[in-house]
Amino acid sequence: MVLHVKPIYVHLIHRTAYMGPCRGGKMEQLERSYDELMAAENFAQMKTKLAELYGGEPEIHLQEPVYLPFLDEFIARESDLDKVKDIDTDVFLLDGMMGQHLAVNIAKKFKKPMCSVGCCTSTDVTACLRAAGLEAYGSIDLAGTKPILKMLWQRKLVENTRVLSILKGDVCSKGVESNVRDLDRITNDWGVKFKYLNAEDFLHEIDTLDAEDNAKAEALADNLIAGAQDCYISREMLIRSTRVYVAVKKLLERFDCNAFTLPCFEICATRRLHEEKYTFCLTHSLLKEEGIPSACESDYNALLSMILTMAVAKNAPHMANTHPALPHEIPGDVLDTGNLIKMYHAVPTRYMKGRDKEMAPYGLQCFTEGQWGATLRYHYTPDIGQTITMVRLNPQGTKLMAARGTIAADIDYNTIGCATGLLVDVESRKKFFKAQCNYGHHMTWAYGDIAEELEDLCELLGVEVERV
């Protein structure tokens, strides 16, 4: 996903030399030729600075910059405004001397967000356009446009999310009653779209993979085994789970979707998984590693939280059952601060610290005592002391809980089941749990303190962030 930015430089050009309340200086600096010379220099400097700022930012595409002279007749001519029109422009970025009038007219004509720079253009333009109900942002200088454009790119990422949701009996799983149910409003407010497929059709897709698909599943299984530090599952049983991933990828392409969820409990109750010996955990992990949000248990709150987290942190996050740690859940060598939170789920990834980072070491474990159902495992011990941010959307879809904590211990790496996780030390266990009672149990989390960036993005989506 790329944000297309149209840079514009505006410079006030005086047609003749004169002095007055709006200009002073030496007479030779008041000639039109001097204004035009300064405009050319400043425009070149702007282009150089933008290239430096965004040359290493592949998600920001700078379209061809445009220079607009603004004559001291102070008229916004349609022919000038049309010069900035470009295909697929997402946002205008305007800098320059006395650019307010053109900036306002450009934004009103093309109905695109305007990011204006410098004194006094930034504040004047932004206040005017916001009062008119249009989207506008001000920046002190060109460097300050970077977090603004990053935030707009994040929103575009969210707006272009299309969820493939597998259905069994209901849209929401009976295992997640804290689900957001007004998905139409999420589509209207966020832009996220939902497409649905019956579980029977989904399972049929897995059952009817052809020889080429099965070969892909086998190759993936072999690759995972070769790279694993620990492997507690047989190749045959691993392949049964990688076939699910191959089938889901086919369905995502067929339905033109880039996010996924399904009701684990309801499908499990059909006994099909028991008979065919696979689970969905590995698929969720692998999809997230490719930048495809994928949530367990048809938990739309966790999925939407994941979409926001992945946009901000560019990671492949873990989604976890989350609850204050009980005394018997705290290992003897771990200091019980009284504020420990237990987080566990069999869907970690190898890129939780960033999809552009080095692949983390991992293990492969079974989900069931029957020695089937592949899951990834990760040791959090090297990360003890690191800060993480845990988030979840509320059932109304209007607020996001964002809690900061530090990793205190690694737990259940070798345990069979929906395990593998960590203990997290939070500021107040009581305050954390009290907030959770307004949000629900599954939390999506990311390394680092990303609450402020989440606040900026959520403000664009009309979502309040509650820091815990």
Side-chain angles (χ1 to χ4, degrees):
M1 188 60 60
V2 175
L3 186 77
H4 301 286
V5 181
K6 188 66 175 179
I8 306 165
Y9 179 75
V10 176
H11 199 96
L12 178 61
I13 303 295
H14 301 85
R15 291 167 293 171
T16 59
Y18 59 89
M19 293 185 183
C22 66
R23 60 190 318 224
K26 299 177 182 179
M27 283 303 296
E28 60 267 24
Q29 295 176 334
L30 304 180
E31 297 289 343
R32 177 169 182 161
S33 59
Y34 184 81
D35 283 347
E36 291 173 339
L37 176 64
M38 292 305 299
E41 289 183 3
N42 291 344
F43 183 42
Q45 291 174 4
M46 175 191 181
K47 290 191 287 185
T48 299
K49 182 64 175 177
L50 288 175
E52 293 173 356
L53 285 170
Y54 296 105
E57 303 289 340
E59 64 266 21
I60 305 297
H61 169 232
L62 295 178
Q63 298 176 322
E64 186 64 31
V66 172
Y67 161 58
L68 293 181
F70 186 45
L71 301 182
D72 60 354
E73 58 189 359
F74 306 113
I75 297 173
R77 301 185 182 280
E78 291 297 317
S79 58
D80 285 336
L81 301 184
D82 286 337
K83 291 178 183 177
V84 306
K85 186 176 182 180
D86 207 334
I87 298 174
D88 297 328
T89 296
D90 292 308
V91 57
F92 293 108
L93 191 162
L94 185 141
D95 189 12
M97 176 182 168
M98 197 68 182
Q100 296 98 304
H101 190 59
L102 289 183
V104 166
N105 278 273
I106 288 168
K108 289 182 175 180
K109 179 180 177 70
F110 297 106
K111 300 295 189 297
K112 298 286 186 180
M114 173 62 70
C115 179
S116 50
V117 178
C119 180
C120 299
T121 303
S122 57
T123 49
D124 195 37
V125 169
T126 304
C128 172
L129 291 176
R130 288 180 177 178
L134 298 173
E135 189 174 354
Y137 306 90
S139 178
I140 296 172
D141 52 22
L142 283 175
T145 65
K146 207 165 185 179
I148 296 171
L149 298 185
K150 181 180 179 182
M151 176 180 64
L152 294 177
W153 170 79
Q154 292 166 353
R155 182 181 65 180
K156 184 175 181 181
L157 204 67
V158 173
E159 289 174 339
N160 284 273
T161 303
R162 300 173 300 279
V163 180
L164 177 60
S165 179
I166 307 302
L167 302 183
K168 183 61 178 173
D170 197 354
V171 174
C172 296
S173 171
K174 299 305 181 290
V176 187
E177 291 293 344
S178 59
N179 244 318
V180 57
R181 283 169 164 76
D182 190 356
L183 297 180
D184 285 342
R185 190 182 62 75
I186 295 296
T187 298
N188 293 335
D189 292 351
W190 294 34
V192 176
K193 299 176 179 62
F194 299 87
K195 302 181 182 182
Y196 303 99
L197 179 68
N198 289 329
E200 291 74 17
D201 296 324
F202 167 61
L203 296 172
H204 179 72
E205 188 74 26
I206 300 171
D207 290 342
T208 56
L209 293 178
D210 60 23
E212 182 180 354
D213 296 326
N214 285 317
K216 290 179 181 178
E218 291 180 15
L220 175 57
D222 290 336
N223 181 268
L224 288 168
I225 292 172
Q229 287 188 328
D230 307 293
C231 184
Y232 304 106
I233 188 169
S234 69
R235 179 179 183 270
E236 177 192 353
M237 291 305 176
L238 179 57
I239 291 171
R240 290 174 185 261
S241 288
T242 57
R243 292 179 75 252
V244 178
Y245 164 81
V246 172
V248 171
K249 286 298 294 290
K250 290 181 67 177
L251 289 170
L252 289 171
E253 182 177 0
R254 185 182 308 161
F255 283 85
D256 190 30
C257 287
N258 50 23
F260 182 70
T261 190
L262 80 172
C264 312
F265 296 126
E266 287 81 354
I267 295 179
C268 182
T270 67
R271 298 182 58 84
R272 289 280 296 274
L273 308 187
H274 174 81
E275 294 165 3
E276 297 169 25
K277 304 293 186 291
Y278 60 77
T279 60
F280 311 118
C281 313
L282 181 64
T283 293
H284 291 309
S285 295
L286 296 177
L287 290 177
K288 289 182 292 184
E289 292 185 349
E290 297 178 13
I292 300 172
S294 188
C296 316
E297 302 170 42
S298 290
D299 189 339
Y300 298 103
N301 300 50
L303 182 66
L304 293 167
S305 303
M306 191 180 298
I307 291 167
L308 298 177
T309 301
M310 293 175 74
V312 168
K314 299 181 181 178
N315 67 342
H318 187 214
M319 165 190 168
N321 293 321
T322 307
H323 192 272
L326 300 174
H328 72 273
E329 296 174 324
I330 302 172
D333 59 346
V334 176
L335 175 65
D336 185 358
T337 64
N339 292 310
L340 292 180
I341 301 297
K342 181 181 179 180
M343 305 185 74
Y344 65 98
H345 232 198
V347 286
T349 75
R350 298 168 293 179
Y351 298 93
M352 290 184 287
K353 296 181 180 179
R355 296 194 303 277
D356 60 343
K357 299 295 190 293
E358 184 179 350
M359 185 179 73
Y362 67 96
L364 294 166
Q365 179 60 280
C366 303
F367 190 90
T368 73
E369 295 291 344
Q371 304 297 309
W372 53 267
T375 69
L376 286 181
R377 300 285 154 140
Y378 175 72
H379 269 307
Y380 295 95
T381 301
D383 303 335
I384 290 174
Q386 292 191 25
T387 298
I388 68 169
T389 303
M390 299 158 281
V391 300
R392 180 172 176 82
L393 197 71
N394 68 354
Q396 299 92 330
T398 57
K399 295 179 69 175
L400 186 81
M401 173 182 171
R404 187 175 66 177
T406 56
I407 297 176
D410 172 47
I411 57 172
D412 297 331
Y413 176 87
N414 294 321
T415 305
I416 290 176
C418 193
T420 195
L422 59 162
L423 296 181
V424 179
D425 195 9
V426 298
E427 180 181 343
S428 169
R429 161 183 158 146
K430 180 178 179 180
K431 185 178 179 182
F432 183 96
F433 181 68
K434 187 175 180 179
Q436 257 199 298
C437 287
N438 292 322
Y439 289 87
H441 65 292
H442 286 143
M443 304 290 286
T444 299
W445 65 271
Y447 284 88
D449 185 353
I450 62 170
E452 186 172 345
E453 281 191 82
L454 284 169
E455 280 185 340
D456 292 338
L457 175 56
C458 285
E459 185 178 354
L460 296 185
L461 301 172
V463 175
E464 179 186 347
V465 173
E466 179 184 359
R467 295 210 199 187
V468 179

